[in-house]
Amino acid sequence: MLEPGTPWPTCEGFPLSLLAVLDTDALAPWLGDLLPAQTGLLNFFYLDSDSEQCDPAVYELALKFDTSDPQVGRVIAARSAHAVETNPPVRSSVFTPVAWAASPGFAFPDTWDPAWRTLDLGPEADDRARAMPDLYIEELLTDWSERPGALDSEDIAFGRPEFPTGSSPVGAFPRAEDPNDYHHLLQLSGYGPYGWGLGGDDGWMHWSIPTEALQAGDFSRAIATPDIW
């Protein structure tokens, strides 16, 4: 869903593949002033070199880039009133559409989230607690596992990302930027009903963006931060 005249994103001339379209207007009641009003639709793209639909010619190109290189992933905004359904170019993978319905909730940092680095555990915390602060917190809060409103979904928008392999987004950002200065945009699980796969046996896609760029509506600075296993 792009505005007329918006070019389909490419990587060295090869078309990226559309993996999701997110309607931020529908999420506005929960987002507050996180992003500019009437941002509209966000189109999430990535260079598909792993699914059954991918063009064989992309394999060699994909080897030239890291999975989080800005050229292999893109987020393009489109104002809802101006966006039109756009046919994908030849060699771009096309997947069966799956409709989403949003449910609000609280997304908590997982074990590997860099947000834990900002938490002051106090002088009584030992080395084990500092190495695994999430487990330390769980031990302090006996009802942590039953926290009200916690999201239970592999597909999450504007929440805390989960990285099942423990890789986390640390090191995925350019110029060794602090991951805590970034905001998570979308977590998209692997196979399931979507019919696409990412690397190895499976993988989850993530897209993140510097918080100040998000608030300014500059989605050109968004990057893919996938978790592959």
Side-chain angles (χ1 to χ4, degrees):
M1 298 294 293
L2 301 174
E3 294 190 26
T6 301
W8 192 277
T10 62
C11 175
E12 292 196 356
F14 198 96
L16 303 186
S17 297
L18 178 71
L19 294 186
V21 179
L22 189 65
D23 184 357
T24 65
D25 294 339
L27 302 179
W30 304 301
L31 296 180
D33 59 356
L34 181 62
L35 72 172
Q38 300 181 336
T39 295
L41 306 175
L42 297 181
N43 296 269
F44 292 84
F45 295 90
Y46 196 70
L47 181 66
D48 175 27
S49 61
D50 291 289
S51 79
E52 294 180 357
Q53 291 89 339
C54 77
D55 188 308
V58 77
Y59 294 137
E60 187 173 346
L61 174 63
L63 292 175
K64 297 172 58 178
F65 298 94
D66 183 81
T67 55
S68 59
D69 190 290
Q71 295 188 68
V72 300
R74 212 74 50 83
V75 177
I76 299 179
R79 294 167 294 176
S80 299
H82 300 266
V84 295
E85 189 170 341
T86 305
N87 292 326
V90 176
R91 300 199 298 174
S92 177
S93 300
V94 178
F95 305 101
T96 302
V98 176
W100 284 335
S103 299
F106 295 101
F108 294 87
D110 75 357
T111 304
W112 314 102
D113 195 301
W116 289 112
R117 296 179 177 180
T118 68
L119 183 64
D120 182 1
L121 299 178
E124 67 279 3
D126 56 20
D127 291 342
R128 175 181 176 275
R130 299 186 187 284
M132 296 180 288
D134 66 313
L135 299 181
Y136 178 65
I137 296 299
E138 286 188 33
E139 293 172 358
L140 292 179
L141 306 176
T142 56
D143 59 347
W144 175 258
S145 62
E146 301 175 1
R147 50 198 186 279
L151 288 172
D152 182 20
S153 176
E154 294 181 350
D155 304 310
I156 298 176
F158 296 100
R160 306 296 313 188
E162 295 183 31
F163 287 83
T165 66
S167 63
S168 86
V170 177
F173 300 105
R175 299 182 299 279
E177 294 178 4
D178 185 352
N180 291 302
D181 292 336
Y182 277 70
H183 201 290
H184 190 247
L185 293 175
L186 181 67
Q187 171 178 301
L188 182 64
S189 59
Y191 289 98
Y194 307 117
W196 65 272
L198 172 71
D201 296 323
D202 204 348
W204 285 8
M205 278 301 306
H206 299 272
W207 289 265
S208 301
I209 188 172
T211 302
E212 48 94 10
L214 174 63
Q215 294 172 336
D218 181 10
F219 291 96
S220 67
R221 296 177 61 190
I223 61 171
T225 51
D227 189 26
I228 298 172
W229 62 88

